[in-house]
Amino acid sequence: MATIKPFKGLRPPKSIVKEVASRPYDVLNSHEARLEAESNEKSLYRIIKPEIDFDEQVDEHDPRVYERALQNFNKFQKKGWLVQDEQENYYVYAQTMNGKTQYGLVVCSHVDEYMSGKIKKHELTRKDKEEDRMLHVNINDANIEPVFFAYPDNKELGDIITRVISSPTEYNFTTPDNVGHHFWIIDNDKDIRDITNIFAQIPYLYIADGHHRSAAAALVCAEKAKKNPNHTGNEEYNYFMSVCFPASQLNIIDYNRLVKDLNGLTPSEFINRLETSFIVEEKGSDIVRPNSLHTFSVYLDGKCYYLTAKENTYNDNDPIEGLDVTVSSKYILDDILDIKDLRTDKRIDFVGGIRGLKELKQRVDSGEMALAIVLHPVTMEQLMRIADSNNIMPPKTTWFEPKLRSGLVIHKLS
């Protein structure tokens, strides 16, 4: 069962929501956040990336930076840029990209279900990133940004959402990336009860994006519980904010690789080595996208080659061995280029497909990188199968678009 609850959301007034809302903290660096926030004192970057208020030499993990996050969070509330709802609600948050809309329910999920595995994960987390988010949540006593969950499609929830979205939106705006953001409040007592009860029948939720935020929520809860002699498990700090989408509506795009050198090989030698594991076709000077699982494109020396993996290189009966990231890691990065650890090797970089093939081509043509590898996206079915089997995806496998906008609603822990 999925244990969820409504909450008193802390939200910006309609008139300034577009000024407050921001991209998630982890999809841009400090320099990019400074540029996006510029002179906008209402930008949520002042809270989620507060290093932008300091000289660029100040480290984003400096204690003063976390203190500034709290100062700015308090300022936003004092100024009325964030106002708390009077009653506990659920919310619908929908996003429209390229003519397709996905509808998420904003809820609070219970930390115990993350710890017990009822909230399923597919990525490893890094301790430094967990600690960074834990410190941020702890000092603000709030989940400023949500975790992104998927759930198996459910007709009853779909019917409630359909009815809710027939009413006027609370927020409705388009961001510079041409993504529409739409937001409704669910304050009807029966709808709230029904949503809670329906989720109680859903066996598992799946983390799509936000593994470090989920881990941080668990750490914060454990710390607060230890300090509370009357801890019951029902306190607000036992819950963390999530946006839950039906799995069929979600869009995973390609997550591609760039490599600095060919491990001492010439381009022709590299292509010859590829032919051991792939059928290789030259495609000209423009990069083409792989059109099915187990196909790849590589770009080097001004030419694109289309690769079809030979049958002995993958096993579709195994959730990990059937992944194209596994095939490319084994038979290109490891066997040919001697890149053993994608997490630590400095010769490799990763580029989300939202940035387009143009960036890959430019970075190779400029000489910065020697090789681009373009992968077909994994599917939600593959992700859920891996999570269900308690396996972990290789690094840099999934890239979800559109990204959730932060700042539409915040969950306070007390």
Side-chain angles (χ1 to χ4, degrees):
M1 59 179 286
T3 303
I4 64 165
K5 68 178 287 293
F7 64 104
K8 297 179 179 179
L10 184 68
R11 304 184 292 107
K14 292 181 187 181
S15 59
I16 62 168
V17 64
K18 197 170 178 180
E19 292 177 80
V20 173
S22 74
R23 292 196 285 161
Y25 84 100
D26 54 353
V27 302
L28 75 172
N29 60 36
S30 302
H31 176 70
E32 291 169 326
R34 281 186 178 89
L35 293 178
E36 286 196 21
E38 290 185 321
S39 58
N40 177 12
E41 62 177 345
K42 300 183 184 72
S43 171
L44 197 76
Y45 291 133
R46 307 287 175 191
I47 301 171
I48 62 171
K49 294 191 76 69
E51 68 271 16
I52 68 174
D53 284 354
F54 293 87
D55 184 272
E56 291 197 21
Q57 303 306 312
V58 175
D59 186 88
E60 61 187 284
H61 303 113
D62 188 298
R64 292 173 295 168
V65 172
Y66 295 104
E67 289 288 346
R68 180 59 60 86
L70 176 59
Q71 292 168 15
N72 287 342
F73 187 37
N74 289 336
K75 174 182 175 181
F76 274 48
Q77 294 172 78
K78 185 176 179 181
K79 293 270 192 180
W81 301 341
L82 291 171
V83 181
Q84 189 161 26
D85 289 335
E86 293 184 359
Q87 72 175 65
E88 293 188 335
N89 305 311
Y90 289 128
Y91 307 88
V92 174
Y93 174 26
Q95 299 168 291
T96 301
M97 186 176 79
N98 298 330
K100 177 185 174 184
T101 303
Q102 58 189 34
Y103 297 90
L105 282 164
V106 189
V107 307
C108 274
S109 300
H110 203 289
V111 162
D112 283 356
E113 302 207 335
Y114 172 78
M115 298 301 294
S116 69
K118 290 180 181 177
I119 293 172
K120 290 181 173 281
K121 50 195 171 187
H122 65 267
E123 287 182 5
L124 296 174
T125 54
R126 284 173 40 184
K127 291 298 181 186
D128 59 335
K129 289 192 173 185
E130 288 182 16
E131 184 173 345
D132 166 60
R133 285 303 92 189
M134 179 195 72
L135 291 170
H136 193 271
V137 172
N138 235 344
I139 198 164
N140 290 295
D141 200 33
N143 306 131
I144 306 294
E145 299 181 274
V147 178
F148 182 175
F149 284 165
Y151 64 87
D153 288 33
N154 183 286
K155 184 180 183 302
E156 292 177 280
L157 286 176
D159 290 343
I160 294 173
I161 291 171
T162 297
R163 186 173 67 255
V164 170
I165 65 174
S166 66
S167 62
T169 56
E170 177 72 7
Y171 305 140
N172 192 8
F173 63 96
T174 301
T175 42
D177 54 2
N178 292 317
V179 174
H181 302 269
H182 329 287
F183 193 88
W184 294 261
I185 300 170
I186 302 178
D187 55 9
N188 177 278
D189 288 343
K190 182 178 185 304
D191 284 342
I192 289 173
R193 284 196 306 273
D194 287 347
I195 290 169
T196 305
N197 292 334
I198 294 167
F199 266 88
Q201 304 306 313
I202 294 175
Y204 301 111
L205 298 174
Y206 297 82
I207 302 175
D209 197 4
H211 285 78
H212 289 98
R213 274 163 272 181
S214 300
L219 292 171
V220 169
C221 177
E223 187 174 305
K224 287 180 176 290
K226 189 181 295 185
K227 294 177 179 177
N228 181 5
N230 301 311
H231 173 78
T232 66
N234 295 318
E235 295 87 356
E236 203 69 25
Y237 59 73
N238 292 279
Y239 295 86
F240 61 106
M241 183 172 59
S242 57
V243 186
C244 306
F245 291 89
S248 66
Q249 294 183 9
L250 297 181
N251 181 40
I252 306 177
I253 64 174
D254 44 306
Y255 210 158
N256 303 314
R257 281 80 170 112
L258 285 163
V259 183
K260 288 183 180 294
D261 62 73
L262 298 181
N263 194 30
L265 300 172
T266 66
S268 60
E269 289 171 338
F270 174 75
I271 296 300
N272 287 338
R273 291 283 300 274
L274 286 175
E275 290 175 343
T276 302
S277 304
F278 303 90
I279 299 167
V280 181
E281 304 170 75
E282 187 175 330
K283 289 292 186 180
S285 60
D286 290 328
I287 304 180
V288 297
R289 287 193 183 280
N291 58 23
S292 62
L293 291 173
H294 310 321
T295 63
F296 311 80
S297 291
V298 299
Y299 179 78
L300 73 159
D301 199 31
K303 295 178 183 177
C304 177
Y305 299 86
Y306 197 81
L307 313 184
T308 302
K310 294 181 179 179
E311 288 189 6
N312 64 335
T313 62
Y314 58 88
N315 176 10
D316 284 335
N317 294 317
D318 184 285
I320 298 295
E321 296 299 315
L323 290 173
D324 286 342
V325 288
T326 302
V327 175
S328 64
S329 292
K330 274 189 175 182
Y331 298 102
I332 303 177
L333 298 175
D334 187 344
D335 282 3
I336 302 177
L337 299 173
D338 197 34
I339 294 175
K340 308 291 186 184
D341 190 338
L342 274 63
R343 296 180 187 278
T344 60
D345 200 301
K346 302 301 184 185
R347 296 165 56 216
I348 191 166
D349 194 11
F350 305 90
V351 178
I354 195 68
R355 294 182 179 267
L357 301 179
K358 184 177 179 182
E359 177 171 334
L360 298 176
K361 189 175 191 302
Q362 184 274 324
R363 291 180 68 180
V364 173
D365 287 346
S366 70
E368 176 197 356
M369 295 291 187
L371 171 72
I373 305 171
V374 187
L375 281 70
H376 191 273
V378 300
T379 65
M380 276 302 301
E381 290 75 17
Q382 287 179 308
L383 183 153
M384 294 168 78
R385 187 180 173 208
I386 284 171
D388 286 338
S389 61
N390 295 317
N391 277 297
I392 296 297
M393 280 191 168
K396 308 294 185 180
T397 300
T398 57
W399 184 286
F400 285 88
E401 286 290 344
K403 298 292 185 187
L404 303 180
R405 212 71 178 177
S406 298
L408 303 188
V409 63
I410 290 167
H411 169 234
K412 299 183 79 170
L413 301 188
S414 60

